[in-house]
Each structure stands twice: as structure tokens, then as C-alpha cells.
Amino acid sequence: MRIIIATVQIPFVSGGAEFHAEGLKSALIAAGHEADIVAVPFNPAVPERIPDQMLACRLLDLTAVHGSAVDRLIALKFPAYLIPHPNKVVWVLHQHRAAYDLWNYPFEDLSASPRGVLVREAIRRADQQLAEAKAVFANSKNIIRHETAEPRPGGVGLDQEKGQGPFCGTG
């Protein structure tokens, strides 16, 4: 399969999510797949611009590259998981936490922004588009509902998939 791992990159910031994406790419290649990472620049420093960045992801077309179909898109982080693809799987590593559990946190700019409430609502509405994915996985039960189907604080209200992660099975 030809697989794109979609994520975002805040310039000059790297950490566990970036290592995770590289590890996933290596594992997919070792399993015989063609895989690459597409990192969309993301800068949350000006909260009023976040909806523009969400729209930029939504407008990306990664269904084919140079005339060759991309068989699967594995999206990892907000807003990259808004990128449309007919065979998208989402492994949620990061939502935009300032819209959820870090709202009113002293070091987050979103809640202090004049339009912060509107941006937060836009983020939460956009996160409902996770439902368009073939499967959604998460490392944290705070992100999506777990097997009891009870909503978790800050969750997006989806059922958690069980399995090995968003690799290349059916779908």
C-alpha cells in the first residue's frame, strides 16, 4: 500500500509526536509498504488564525500524488486529521488541548483571546469530523469514548476502536 502519515509541525518544536510519526513510517516500510510523512505547518500562537489553518488542511487533496493513488491516509494530530481521504484512519495523538482540558490554563492563549470562545467552538465542531474516518484510534481515553460509551470530558464522542493501531488491515 501507498500510505501517507499526515501530521502537523509547529516550527522549531519537536517531541514525542514527531518521533511517533517517524516510528510509524519505519514500521510501515519494514512491513513492505510505501510510506511518507506529510507535515503541515501549524502555528497556534494567534488563535484567530487557527480556523484558517483548519480550512487549509480541509482543502488538501492527498488522494493521489503525481498521478498515483494514495491507498491510505493515517492522520495523527489536529488539524491534520481534518484532511479528507476516502480511506482515512486517525490515530489521535493530539487534539488542540486549549479547546478542551487546557481551557483557561494560564499558559494557553486561546481562552484569553477576544475570539477564543468562537475559535474553541469551531475546533470542537471540526473534531466531530473524525466520524468520517474508517477507524479512529487514540492513546488516551480522554480523547474518545471508551467501551462503556460514556462521554469523557473533552472527548469527541466516538467509539474507540480496538486493535493494534491504524495499520493496513481491511477498510
Side-chain angles (χ1 to χ4, degrees), residues 93-111:
L93 301 182
H94 289 291
Q95 289 176 287
H96 192 64
R97 292 183 61 199
Y100 292 96
D101 60 316
L102 295 181
W103 182 256
N104 285 326
Y105 189 74
F107 302 108
E108 286 295 330
D109 296 330
L110 185 58
S111 61

Side-chain angles (χ1 to χ4, degrees), residues 110-163:
L110 185 58
S111 61
S113 168
R115 292 186 167 194
V117 172
L118 294 174
V119 174
R120 178 187 193 199
E121 304 240 342
I123 292 168
R124 288 175 165 225
R125 275 193 314 274
D127 280 354
Q128 296 303 314
Q129 294 176 17
L130 286 167
E132 72 187 17
K134 298 286 184 185
V136 177
F137 299 86
N139 292 348
S140 169
K141 290 182 181 178
N142 287 332
I143 295 173
I144 55 178
R145 285 193 236 182
H146 80 312
E147 49 274 58
T148 65
E150 293 297 318
R152 297 288 180 144
V156 296
L158 298 172
D159 294 325
Q160 183 171 10
E161 294 287 331
K162 299 186 186 301

Side-chain angles (χ1 to χ4, degrees), residues 3-20:
I3 302 169
I4 288 179
I5 301 161
T7 189
V8 298
Q9 179 68 50
I10 298 173
F12 307 109
V13 176
S14 63
E18 289 73 29
F19 294 122
H20 187 91

